[in-house]
Amino acid sequence: MDTKEFEAVLEVIDNLPAIIQSVESDVLPIVRSLDSVAPELSEILVVANNCLEALNGIPGFQRLRRRGGSSSEGSNRLT
């Protein structure tokens, strides 16, 4: 092992308590809150798809959509 690599490993080991503290106080609370975010995102997607379906019912919307270069040709869903 090279001296620089050994020093880098020692530096990581020296910083482990701060890294662990940061993970426990900053990262883990965010990860724990993600279970409540998924249902909200799912609801937003449903509402967005409902809006798209409503827009598809407007006369001339399909022509505007084709003219605008829809990214998913043939698909009206956002998923």
Side-chain angles (χ1 to χ4, degrees), residues 59-74:
F61 179 74
Q62 289 300 323
R63 186 177 345 146
L64 287 174
R65 186 171 178 175
R66 282 191 302 268
R67 194 172 186 192
S70 176
S71 62
S72 57
E73 290 297 324

Side-chain angles (χ1 to χ4, degrees), residues 26-53:
D26 300 330
V27 177
L28 288 180
I30 294 171
V31 172
R32 288 184 189 114
S33 71
L34 289 178
D35 63 342
S36 66
V37 173
E40 292 170 6
L41 289 177
S42 178
E43 290 175 23
I44 291 171
L45 186 59
V46 168
V47 170
N49 280 324
N50 290 342
C51 290
L52 185 58
E53 288 177 15

Side-chain angles (χ1 to χ4, degrees), residues 6-16 19:
F6 184 73
E7 289 174 0
V9 169
L10 285 179
E11 186 176 344
V12 169
I13 291 171
D14 287 341
N15 289 323
L16 273 178
I19 293 170

